[in-house]
């Protein structure tokens, strides 16, 4: 049975990323293409791994967190450990975003106060 393979430019084009990005993940040990001379040949598994990395990065996971989650993948199992870990990471990321949102709202209030004070001070200097 023939499994689909991809060149680095095929993957870059299909996933809308640069070949440099793909080489970076390869250097990090997260992708392991076959070599045919100087050409890299990526497997369907490499493509799935790359998609998982990109999705993880989009939702704010670090590269180390992506690596850990990918490392938990077991094609022959039910991936319960991977899914449970993923849910935990999602909850952590959500809590982090909630805190950032509170921090931003607090900063906006402080900016509003500073702005009002400046406007009031300007009014008092013009009179």
């Amino acid at each position: 049975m023939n499994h689909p393979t991809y060149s680095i430019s095929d993957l870059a084009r299909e996933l809308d990323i640069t070949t440099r990005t793909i080489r970076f993940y390869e250097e990090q040990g997260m992708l392991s293409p076959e070599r045919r001379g100087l050409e890299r040949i990526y497997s369907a598994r490499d493509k799935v791994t790359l998609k998982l990395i990109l999705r993880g990065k989009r939702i704010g996971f670090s590269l180390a967190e992506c690596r850990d989650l990918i490392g938990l993948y077991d094609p022959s199992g039910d991936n319960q450990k991977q899914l449970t870990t993923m849910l935990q990471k999602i909850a952590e990321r959500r809590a982090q975003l909630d805190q950032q949102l509170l921090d931003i709202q607090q900063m906006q209030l402080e900016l509003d106060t500073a702005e009002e004070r400046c406007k009031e001070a300007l009014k008092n200097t013009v009179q």
Side-chain angles (χ1 to χ4, degrees), residues 17-111:
I17 56 176
T18 64
T19 56
R20 184 176 179 173
T21 298
I22 296 170
R23 285 192 298 272
F24 172 77
Y25 293 130
E26 185 182 337
E27 289 165 10
Q28 297 300 308
M30 299 178 79
L31 300 171
S32 50
E34 280 182 48
R35 297 281 189 162
R36 289 191 196 136
L38 295 176
E39 188 181 12
R40 294 169 166 92
I41 307 296
Y42 294 88
S43 67
R45 182 181 176 106
D46 288 322
K47 180 179 173 184
V48 168
T49 298
L50 196 49
K51 283 180 165 181
L52 290 172
I53 293 167
L54 297 172
R55 184 176 303 138
K57 296 296 287 175
R58 265 196 317 275
I59 60 176
F61 290 171
S62 69
L63 198 53
E65 288 172 317
C66 292
R67 183 182 289 115
D68 291 346
L69 286 167
I70 291 164
L72 292 173
Y73 177 70
D74 176 9
S76 62
D78 63 6
N79 289 305
Q80 187 173 351
K81 184 170 173 64
Q82 183 191 41
L83 294 170
T84 302
T85 303
M86 178 75 164
L87 285 172
Q88 178 187 344
K89 298 264 183 222
I90 288 170
E92 290 168 7
R93 182 67 180 134
R94 191 179 304 274
Q96 188 180 43
L97 287 172
D98 288 342
Q99 183 58 54
Q100 287 175 330
L101 185 57
L102 288 173
D103 293 346
I104 289 169
Q105 290 168 338
Q106 182 61 40
M107 191 177 294
Q108 286 176 323
L109 288 173
E110 291 174 19
L111 287 169

Side-chain angles (χ1 to χ4, degrees), residues 110-121:
E110 291 174 19
L111 287 169
D112 290 345
T113 302
E115 182 181 43
E116 286 306 312
R117 286 184 181 156
C118 289
K119 285 179 179 178
E120 196 60 39

